[in-house]
Amino acid sequence: MSSRKKPSGRTRVLVGGAALAVIGAGVVGTVAAGAAGAAPAPVAARSADLTQSTHLTLAAAEKAARAALDAAAKDGRQVSVAVVDRGGNTLVTLRGDGAGPQSYESAERKAFTAVSWNAPTSELAERLKQAPALKDIPGTLFLAGGTPVTAKGAPVAGIGVAGAPSGDLDERYAQAGAAVLGR
């Protein structure tokens, strides 16, 4: 037999009440702390304040880049190809075997330039004659070899090619990449 005394009813009520008070304070404190640090509820914008845009998929960008690289390889040219999205962010860059080290960045800059102005970079190079300060815009390259890709009348991507012996060839390969997207 145990020599322990059983707590009285009054002691059990007091201990139980104290335990409930501690648990309750913890729950209230947790809820209060959560409420104090909670982020405000998201605000839904009105549909009149929104616009929609169309984006080129990664699979389509890869397909276009591969087609441009293949067109150059068919002619025995070593080039780099870049595909950028509407915001000028690089989606895909392929550097062909033997392509010069400068061609990688040049392809990206040509693609960026083409999508930024929604025009082939060969046309934009001509515009420099009237507005030579355009060349000072960061990230641009006003040499032939970039072509825009459009959908629903708006630019969605740019394809840039660099490394062929002439900008005309670079641009022809960029257009070959864009052409596969229209099929």
Side-chain angles (χ1 to χ4, degrees), residues 54-62 64 83-86 91 149 156-159 181:
T54 303
H55 299 273
L56 195 64
T57 66
L58 179 59
E62 290 171 339
V83 180
V84 300
D85 67 12
R86 176 61 182 114
L91 294 170
V149 176
V156 294
I159 301 174
L181 299 174

Side-chain angles (χ1 to χ4, degrees), residues 8-23:
S8 70
R10 182 176 177 179
T11 302
R12 285 188 296 212
V13 168
L14 286 174
V15 170
L20 285 174
V22 168
I23 291 170

Side-chain angles (χ1 to χ4, degrees), residues 78-104:
Q78 295 83 29
V79 300
S80 290
V81 180
V83 180
V84 300
D85 67 12
R86 176 61 182 114
N89 303 299
T90 303
L91 294 170
V92 176
T93 304
L94 299 175
R95 190 166 131 212
D97 295 334
Q102 79 290 352
S103 65
Y104 189 88

